[in-house]
Amino acid sequence: MTPQLGKILVLLGLGIVLLGAFLWLGGGSLLGWFGRLPGDVRVERPGFRLYAPFVSMVLISLLLSLIMWLVRRFGG
């Protein structure tokens, strides 16, 4: 394992912790749209609940892909 990989893993872990703290402390209201877009599946019946946010996950995937592309392009 290289030192560079260790640094990336630590930074990724810190990013996840910061995001979790932000959402836990009330920043979750910014994500009120998540799971409520057209194309997201939500089925609720007595004793059964299905939640599949297909479109929301595609948007998040596109956003993360754009961020990774920008990091590779301009980050060196």
Side-chain angles (χ1 to χ4, degrees):
M1 202 178 270
T2 65
Q4 184 71 15
L5 180 60
K7 184 188 291 186
I8 290 171
L9 289 174
V10 168
L11 290 175
L12 184 63
L14 286 174
I16 290 172
V17 167
L18 290 174
L19 178 64
F22 172 74
L23 293 174
W24 184 40
L25 296 174
S29 62
L30 293 175
L31 295 176
W33 56 269
F34 187 79
R36 302 190 195 300
L37 296 176
D40 291 340
V41 176
R42 182 178 225 156
V43 177
E44 294 185 20
R45 296 192 176 126
F48 177 77
R49 185 180 300 175
L50 174 68
Y51 177 65
F54 294 120
V55 175
S56 297
M57 294 308 294
V58 167
L59 286 177
I60 288 176
S61 175
L62 289 172
L63 179 66
L64 290 175
S65 294
L66 175 65
I67 291 170
M68 292 304 295
W69 179 79
L70 289 172
V71 166
R72 286 186 192 146
R73 177 90 163 109
F74 299 111

